Amino acid sequence: MNTGTSRPGDLLVRAGAIVFLVGALGTFVTFIPFFIGADPLPTAAYLVSMLMGVGFGLALAGLFRSASAARRETRQAAAP
């Protein structure tokens, strides 16, 4: 695998992974008050937790875009 070239969809996958990790961290932070018996966090903290789904969707879109580009390159290489 050549790490020097960027394929279509790579940026979406990386951005999706980062957004997913931010959402996972937000989910972890929102559960802490339940374990220590503190008051629940404000609604904004729960909205950050929803970034897990957004990040997953971005990464999935990047994977589909990458697969589509690879399929297109294969068809062009096979065409006479």
Side-chain angles (χ1 to χ4, degrees):
M1 180 174 182
N2 188 359
T3 59
T5 60
S6 180
R7 297 183 52 106
D10 284 352
L11 186 60
L12 275 175
V13 172
R14 288 183 187 138
I18 291 169
V19 171
F20 182 86
L21 288 175
V22 169
L25 182 64
T27 301
F28 178 72
V29 168
T30 56
F31 275 102
I32 291 175
F34 296 119
F35 292 125
I36 62 173
D39 291 333
L41 294 174
T43 304
Y46 293 98
L47 294 175
V48 171
S49 298
M50 292 182 186
L51 289 177
M52 285 179 71
V54 173
F56 184 76
L58 281 173
L60 195 60
L63 288 175
F64 282 140
R65 185 171 179 192
S66 177
S68 175
R71 192 174 340 130
R72 194 176 320 115
E73 287 177 9
T74 304
R75 278 192 206 142
Q76 288 175 354

